[in-house]
Amino acid sequence: VQPATAVNPVYTGTDRVWLGTAGEFAVLTKAASSSTGNAVPYSITGDVGTGAALTYAPMLMDANGEFATSTQVSGLLYATSYSAPTKALVTAALDDFDTAYTDAKDRALSDTANLDVLTGAIGGHVFTAGIYKWSAFVTITTDITLKGSSSSLYIFQVAEYLSIAASTRMNLVSDGTGNGTPDASGIVWQVGTYLVFGASAHLEGTMLVQAYITFGAGASLNGRAMCVGAVTLSAVTLTRPPPS
């Protein structure tokens, strides 16, 4: 992970959310981040960073105290308490997370029909590319589908919490243009309070969350888990897509 070199761009409704150095992380939190460890195996592809404590058993610190490694993380683990230059690296990423959260939250609706779709009970719905907003919470109790191409943008603004029921999935399908299917780098969930994954639930995209993120056993995310509060994982598979 390297510090940002680019200046924040000016965002438009069709631009992807700029993550800066935060985009290099699979898990990024201001509060603690923890896993259940060897007793319940997990798999994370990408770096992990926190402004507080890391508990990812097993963990092994490097000789200079700048980062840790884990056999269950295909990446490096960073905390602001580690030796320099790690604090500056994580702090820069957390600043970029704040910028991304505000950008995602403040984007204008792409269509007035995208406000409070199904009053938040969105199970079974098919979403086309666009910016969606809910004034309260959102629940996903059956599979949802995103229909589009590899360049499609989806921003989901949730004022309160987001809850995904056990064994439900987000499916990505082509819009028939021949330009591929939606990809995780073009999907962002901005959540005003907390995010809970049920056991074996699956989502795609970058999760920008305020209170906390909890993953049930066997849950999976092709994306990023970023949170002001804590991130807790249990038998999770989390894969960071390439930065957009």
Side-chain angles (χ1 to χ4, degrees), residues 36-215:
T36 50
N38 279 339
V40 184
Y42 61 94
S43 173
I44 297 174
T45 302
D47 293 334
V48 176
T50 183
L54 279 173
T55 308
Y56 279 76
M59 282 176 56
L60 178 66
M61 288 297 301
D62 86 304
N64 296 320
E66 296 177 12
F67 60 85
T69 58
S70 171
T71 56
Q72 298 187 81
V73 178
S74 297
L76 301 178
L77 295 96
Y78 299 94
T80 51
S81 59
Y82 292 176
S83 300
T86 303
K87 182 176 181 179
L89 182 152
V90 175
T91 299
L94 290 171
D95 287 344
D96 288 343
F97 159 74
D98 285 339
T99 299
Y101 182 92
T102 300
D103 173 31
K105 180 176 180 291
D106 290 346
R107 293 282 185 106
L109 287 173
S110 55
D111 190 310
T112 55
N114 293 354
L115 177 63
D116 290 327
V117 173
L118 297 174
T119 61
I122 64 173
H125 194 64
V126 177
F127 291 91
T128 56
I131 302 171
Y132 297 81
K133 181 174 184 176
W134 289 271
S135 53
F137 59 85
V138 169
T139 60
I140 305 174
T141 56
T142 58
D143 292 0
I144 63 171
T145 300
L146 271 57
K147 186 175 183 178
S149 70
S150 59
S151 62
S152 294
L153 172 70
Y154 305 82
I155 299 177
F156 301 102
Q157 304 165 340
V158 182
E160 297 180 8
Y161 67 81
L162 171 61
S163 175
I164 306 100
S167 301
T168 58
R169 296 184 56 84
M170 173 189 283
N171 299 305
L172 308 179
V173 301
S174 172
D175 58 8
T177 61
N179 295 313
T181 60
D183 69 75
S185 294
I187 304 167
V188 173
W189 291 85
Q190 173 267 317
V191 182
T193 58
Y194 62 84
L195 165 58
V196 175
F197 283 74
S200 301
H202 174 78
L203 275 186
E204 304 264 344
T206 295
M207 310 291 136
L208 304 174
V209 180
Q210 281 293 305
Y212 61 84
I213 303 175
T214 300
F215 290 85

